[in-house]
Amino acid sequence: GAVVSQHPSWVICKSGTSVKIECRSLDFQATTMFWYRQFPKQSLMLMATSNEGSKATYEQGVEKDKFLINHASLTLSTLTVTSAHPEDSSFYICSAEDRRSSYEQYFGPGTRLTVT
Amino acid sequence: LAKTTQPISMDSYEGQEVNITCSHNNIATNDYITWYQQFPSQGPRFIIQGYKTKVTNEVASLFIPADRKSSTLSLPRVSLSDTAVYYCLVGDTSSASKIIFGSGTRLSIRP
């Protein structure tokens, strides 16, 4: 099946700094990618839908100025957590749709963010 | 988006067959049923997808009754490595659409 990668796999940053997480579709083009956040022992929560060449669509309650999403190419979407705080510590997961296989979503391995 | 309901947790033993049932009363005509598996600190992994009746692959079977208001994921002869969270999702795969995850079922397999 198709492969989605994320970088970095884990990151530790200080409070107030910004962190960028990359999501890449390795062997297919993805016009749509999704970003999720997952807290310990909880389910995945959809944060936003990232569309190539256009602005992302954010879910209710997700601050678009804090979680900046850029989908500049058909294989790369980035999530930047700006002015990170300890409460932003979480597991961030992206997924990408492969239109070749009826829009099946492929998930990345996730990025563990810890804000100190 | 059809809402799904699953048991919060299940326990079983190695070598047993495990059946996890998901309710989706408001499933739409174009919706497919998809199951994902997630291990701790990993992204979800696709297990199986179906529309109606029965689907089987090398790891699981999916049973869907005629009214499609529920579905059952069947894992034959589970092992310790099947301990994970299993998510049942319902959505229209003919167009780009977001996936909303429910609570999932935390399956624990014991020796």
Side-chain angles (χ1 to χ4, degrees):
Chain A
V3 178
V4 175
S5 70
Q6 285 185 237
H7 178 79
S9 56
W10 60 270
V11 57
I12 302 173
C13 71
K14 292 186 176 182
S15 185
T17 62
S18 296
V19 174
K20 180 185 286 188
I21 302 171
E22 294 183 348
C23 176
R24 294 182 184 274
S25 57
L26 297 185
D27 51 359
F28 67 99
Q29 294 181 333
T31 55
T32 303
M33 292 182 173
F34 301 90
W35 286 97
Y36 298 83
R37 180 167 54 180
Q38 186 175 34
F39 293 108
K41 303 291 186 182
Q42 294 187 22
S43 182
L44 284 77
M45 184 192 79
L46 179 66
M47 299 176 67
T49 301
S50 171
N51 297 299
E52 188 268 338
S54 65
K55 291 184 178 180
T57 302
Y58 291 82
E59 295 298 305
Q60 189 173 10
V62 178
E63 300 176 57
K64 62 180 181 180
D65 294 330
K66 180 171 184 60
F67 299 99
L68 301 179
I69 291 174
N70 184 281
H71 195 156
S73 78
L74 288 172
T75 59
L76 173 65
S77 175
T78 60
L79 168 68
T80 301
V81 183
T82 63
S83 186
H85 292 285
E87 56 265 31
D88 297 323
S89 297
S90 188
F91 193 54
Y92 292 86
I93 304 170
C94 73
S95 70
E97 285 192 335
D98 185 355
R99 293 190 174 185
R100 301 171 306 174
S101 58
S102 299
Y103 297 93
E104 183 171 337
Q105 284 200 29
Y106 296 91
F107 288 83
T111 297
R112 173 77 58 194
L113 170 63
T114 302
V115 184
T116 61
Chain B
L1 297 170
K3 181 180 176 181
T4 60
T5 303
Q6 308 172 228
I8 295 296
S9 64
M10 293 182 66
D11 295 326
S12 189
Y13 293 90
E14 281 191 295
Q16 300 294 308
E17 177 185 81
V18 172
N19 297 307
I20 306 174
T21 298
C22 177
S23 297
H24 29 78
N25 292 316
N26 297 323
I27 189 169
T29 303
N30 292 334
D31 286 344
Y32 279 72
I33 301 156
T34 310
W35 285 80
Y36 286 87
Q37 175 192 56
Q38 186 184 28
F39 297 112
S41 297
Q42 294 186 27
R45 183 177 73 99
F46 173 89
I47 300 176
I48 197 167
Q49 182 182 74
Y51 184 81
K52 62 180 179 180
T53 61
K54 175 183 176 182
V55 180
T56 298
N57 61 24
E58 61 276 10
V59 297
S61 294
L62 179 60
F63 298 92
I64 306 169
D67 65 4
R68 303 198 331 121
K69 293 183 182 297
S70 67
S71 59
T72 299
L73 174 71
S74 180
L75 304 173
R77 297 180 299 282
V78 294
S79 64
L80 295 176
S81 62
D82 292 314
T83 295
V85 179
Y86 292 82
Y87 293 98
C88 163
L89 303 167
V90 174
D92 181 1
T93 61
S94 66
S95 63
S97 60
K98 57 187 179 183
I99 291 179
I100 302 297
F101 281 78
S103 59
T105 297
R106 189 171 298 274
L107 176 64
S108 297
I109 305 300
R110 303 179 181 182

